[in-house]
Amino acid sequence: MLTRREAELVNETLPALRQHGEHISTVFYKTMLRDHPELNHYFNSVNMHTGRQPRALTALILAFASNIANISELTEKLERVAQKHASLVIRPEHYEIVAKYLIRAFSAVLGPAMTPEVNAAWTKAYWLMAKMLTGREQIIYKDFGPWTDWRAFTISAKTPETSEGDIVSFTLTPNDGCSLPSYNPGQYVTIRLKVKGLKYLQLRQYSLSDAPRPDSYRITVKRDIGASPDTQLDPRQFTAGLDGPPISSAASSASDSSIGSIRPHRPGLVSNVLIDDFQVGDTLDLTHPAGEFFLDANDPNTNPVVLICAGAGAAPLYPMLKVVSEQGQGRPMSWIQASRHDAPFREKVEKIAQTNPNVKAKFFRSRLADGDVISLTSRFQEDFIGLNWEDLWLQHNLTEYYVCGPEKFMGEIGGHLLKNRVDPARIKYELYSVGSFEMKR
């Protein structure tokens, strides 16, 4: 750990680093990717363009430094990062590169205040975090068994999940014919593909949308139609935040062309290509299932489970419903789903509810299922609040809640549950982006 003096030096510089988070992000990524262009293969270029990736990394290290005397507060954040890194095949040598350019960016911001003593303290703080992450990642890789790199799969089925065709499932079969490892429902895989016109490979995470099978995986992809003026998200007007304390205007770093490799932003850079161009018989590279958002399929408890989703957010929750209902343990479950038009998996969910008396299902129409909106222009909030306590199992103080959907949607759901005195520890959120979703207390 840091000595008392080292911790003081780090804490003294935190205000300046938070204030200039945007500049740190820009300098760090600009110089690192200039000198190591091969790292572009690892970054989601859309998150780079929008500024979410720079914001998340800068916020994470500052959050770590702020809590260095109480690391347990960051356990969930660090686990999310370690799982994501393992899914991207990040190795210890990558941390060496990041250390060099991150400390250089801190020096550019702090100027004369970055004395040799401060430099040494921040370097030590970074490596404390890095060693925690690499240590956890090595355990994850060990748990993966022999599959710790990319593996070729063939698309064996392509199935529209809505009448509009905007949400499509892909069944993927391993080319080597070997049996696939199981996973906890809610986890994801990373896919890798080449997009025409782009120099670097594109990597994306997609939730596994079916119960585990030894012969195939299934992912579900939603078409991205892009943001319109009434769906632009103002981060000051919703209840969730990304990793760590606020940093000044980090998201606006996307306006710097040295960060964004896609300009102007092309919606659905990978998802639309998958839906439009990839057909049965085509191949994709995948990594081992990973992720910290899951329902433990081996947990014998019978506490109620409430699954709340919007749009493609149904993808990681449907396997939870299917696996628990098939176990036949009598565990009560509620499925609550919002959608703008057709609800993906609705027929499958209703079939489970019809044959399992322990399962309830409710469906609502809402624009919140499409994306992040500032104003609530549907009856969803009214409908959701109107659900009775039995639907939400609010009367049971051990009920578990799993929520997945756009950020505004999750903010509304989380806020309602907290108002009804649900312990925050019993609510799990899945954010389809870099960083993590947190409710403000």
Side-chain angles (χ1 to χ4, degrees), residues 156-178:
S156 54
K158 183 178 178 182
T159 309
E161 300 290 354
T162 61
S163 60
E164 296 86 6
D166 59 334
I167 298 179
V168 178
S169 290
F170 294 82
T171 302
L172 307 169
T173 305
N175 289 5
D176 58 20
C178 296

Side-chain angles (χ1 to χ4, degrees), residues 11 192 214 263 340 378 416:
N11 284 324
R192 180 176 68 176
R263 189 172 182 158
R340 184 167 186 179
S378 73
H416 181 67

Side-chain angles (χ1 to χ4, degrees), residues 220-234:
T220 300
V221 180
K222 180 180 180 180
R223 180 180 297 282
D224 184 355
I225 62 174
S228 60
D230 66 338
T231 60
Q232 295 292 344
L233 178 64
D234 182 345

Side-chain angles (χ1 to χ4, degrees), residues 335-388:
W335 175 277
I336 299 169
Q337 183 174 4
S339 58
R340 184 167 186 179
H341 300 294
D342 282 359
F345 308 122
R346 179 165 184 164
E347 290 185 4
K348 298 180 179 70
V349 170
E350 288 180 331
K351 184 176 181 180
I352 291 174
Q354 289 167 2
T355 58
N356 190 326
N358 297 305
V359 175
K360 301 177 181 180
K362 299 283 186 177
F363 299 88
F364 301 102
R365 291 291 178 91
S366 175
R367 287 186 64 238
L368 282 178
D370 253 9
D372 293 306
V373 293
I374 295 171
S375 60
L376 302 183
T377 56
S378 73
R379 293 184 55 218
F380 172 74
Q381 187 179 48
E382 176 185 336
D383 289 336
F384 181 77
I385 292 175
L387 288 171
N388 60 45

Side-chain angles (χ1 to χ4, degrees), residues 47-310:
N47 285 337
M48 291 292 286
H49 175 82
T50 61
R52 296 193 72 127
Q53 177 68 48
R55 180 186 180 192
L57 183 137
T58 305
L60 178 65
I61 182 63
L62 296 183
F64 182 86
S66 300
N67 292 276
I68 208 159
N70 191 17
I71 297 301
S72 62
E73 294 292 324
L74 296 175
T75 300
E76 291 185 9
K77 286 187 178 69
L78 295 176
E79 178 65 14
R80 179 179 173 87
V81 172
Q83 292 284 341
K84 183 66 70 70
H85 283 181
S87 78
L88 295 171
V89 199
I90 298 296
R91 302 298 187 189
E93 55 266 27
H94 295 126
Y95 284 87
E96 296 275 358
I97 299 173
V98 169
K100 174 182 176 180
Y101 292 94
L102 186 65
I103 298 301
R104 181 185 294 180
F106 282 3
S107 297
V109 165
L110 295 176
M114 188 66 149
T115 64
E117 292 77 17
V118 173
N119 188 303
W122 263 112
T123 300
K124 186 174 180 180
Y126 169 82
W127 279 110
L128 282 172
M129 184 184 75
K131 288 177 181 178
M132 290 180 68
L133 287 171
T134 54
R136 175 63 182 134
E137 287 156 21
Q138 290 308 306
I139 294 173
I140 295 171
Y141 284 127
K142 185 176 180 180
D143 291 342
F144 283 178
W147 181 13
T148 59
D149 211 312
W150 296 97
R151 187 172 175 181
F153 283 68
T154 295
I155 299 172
S156 54
K158 183 178 178 182
T159 309
E161 300 290 354
T162 61
S163 60
E164 296 86 6
D166 59 334
I167 298 179
V168 178
S169 290
F170 294 82
T171 302
L172 307 169
T173 305
N175 289 5
D176 58 20
C178 296
S179 180
L180 294 171
S182 187
Y183 53 86
N184 280 306
Q187 293 189 300
Y188 57 78
V189 290
T190 296
I191 70 166
R192 180 176 68 176
L193 54 82
K194 184 76 174 70
V195 175
K196 185 178 180 180
L198 294 183
K199 181 177 180 181
Y200 300 104
L201 293 169
Q202 297 298 303
L203 278 59
R204 296 292 187 276
Q205 285 78 38
Y206 288 101
S207 296
L208 291 156
S209 59
D210 201 358
R213 293 169 49 106
D215 59 344
S216 65
Y217 288 154
R218 187 179 73 186
I219 62 172
T220 300
V221 180
K222 180 180 180 180
R223 180 180 297 282
D224 184 355
I225 62 174
S228 60
D230 66 338
T231 60
Q232 295 292 344
L233 178 64
D234 182 345
R236 297 168 298 182
Q237 297 187 33
F238 74 109
T239 55
L242 291 176
D243 289 325
I247 57 177
S248 174
S249 304
S252 66
S253 64
S255 62
D256 190 313
S257 60
S258 65
I259 297 295
S261 59
I262 308 166
R263 189 172 182 158
H265 169 49
R266 288 163 52 186
L269 187 65
V270 170
S271 60
N272 292 356
V273 167
L274 279 172
I275 292 174
D276 293 335
D277 299 341
F278 278 74
Q279 308 299 332
V280 171
D282 291 335
T283 60
L284 292 170
D285 290 335
L286 269 68
T287 56
H288 192 287
E292 83 299 341
F293 177 83
F294 61 82
L295 186 150
D296 186 352
N298 298 314
D299 187 344
N301 86 68
T302 56
N303 296 327
V305 177
V306 179
L307 308 174
I308 309 174
C309 58

